[in-house]
Amino acid sequence: MDVKRFSMSDASAGTMTLHEPCESAYTALDLDGPREVLRQLPGVSLREMEHHGEKTVCCGSGAISWFPESCAKFREDRLREAAPTGAEYLVTICHYCGQTFVSDEERFDFSVTNYVNLVANAMGIQRDDKFKRYAKWRDLESILKDADEYVQGSPFRKARIVEALRAVFIH
């Protein structure tokens, strides 16, 4: 098997704070792995929020469809907890956490970024974070237009795709 080697650059350098998904804390699955990887990226400084690891708290995304007020409270609490770390980036592992935070990122001095995109950037791989873009757009027609080739090539019915997009990005 031919393994492609990447050299790491400081393209993702900066101060980070990590929001791991609450499921990771609840199950105690690999709480240190993402931190170990972030610490290995050139120029990255990790600053922990008060609640992290086994004591992390939920972003609120699980409540967004049935209890939007609860989701907003969880989101606000977590974003306010990230702010005093002085981080330039709030790093998320779960797309739903990222989507929950992105809707309010402009109110804070940090940018929300996905863990995979951050690592890819350090490897010299430029990725278009469509999940973040769509979460910011919150416009079903624009999303459908942008994703048209994927929708057309999907084995799922368009109505089902629209339903999923509406549930995830339009709320």
Side-chain angles (χ1 to χ4, degrees):
M1 180 174 165
D2 186 26
V3 177
K4 186 174 183 180
R5 300 280 179 199
F6 292 93
S7 61
M8 301 300 271
S9 76
D10 64 357
S12 291
T15 307
M16 318 280 165
T17 192
L18 176 66
H19 169 80
E20 62 263 274
C22 52
E23 289 180 359
S24 295
Y26 300 158
T27 60
L29 293 175
D30 195 19
L31 293 174
D32 295 322
R35 285 176 176 78
E36 290 171 10
V37 171
L38 286 175
R39 286 185 184 113
Q40 296 301 313
L41 297 179
V44 167
S45 172
L46 185 61
R47 295 185 183 164
E48 297 288 7
M49 288 186 262
E50 178 182 347
H51 298 97
H52 63 277
E54 290 179 0
K55 295 180 182 176
T56 198
V57 292
C58 182
C59 70
S61 67
I64 200 161
S65 294
W66 297 280
F67 307 102
E69 300 84 18
S70 295
C71 174
K73 170 85 170 95
F74 279 109
R75 176 181 56 236
E76 183 67 19
D77 288 350
R78 195 61 170 156
L79 290 169
R80 288 191 183 276
E81 187 175 337
T85 66
E88 298 167 75
Y89 301 97
L90 170 60
V91 180
T92 62
I93 296 170
C94 169
H95 282 298
Y96 290 113
C97 295
Q99 178 245 342
T100 298
F101 295 143
V102 161
S103 62
D104 280 341
E105 100 179 320
E106 69 279 351
R107 295 188 305 113
F108 295 89
D109 290 333
F110 52 76
S111 176
V112 177
T113 189
N114 183 273
Y115 179 80
V116 171
N117 293 331
L118 187 73
V119 172
N121 195 34
M123 295 170 69
I125 302 168
Q126 297 303 311
R127 297 188 74 239
D128 181 13
D129 189 346
K130 287 189 177 197
F131 206 95
K132 181 175 181 175
R133 183 168 11 127
Y134 293 172
K136 283 183 168 248
W137 284 356
R138 288 181 154 174
D139 177 57
L140 185 60
E141 293 307 314
S142 296
I143 294 168
L144 284 169
K145 183 178 178 185
D146 188 68
D148 185 61
E149 85 175 80
Y150 301 105
V151 172
Q152 298 303 320
S154 174
F156 299 101
R157 293 185 345 261
K158 184 173 181 179
R160 176 64 182 116
I161 294 169
V162 168
E163 179 184 326
L165 290 171
R166 186 173 281 121
V168 172
F169 297 112
I170 315 301
H171 43 70

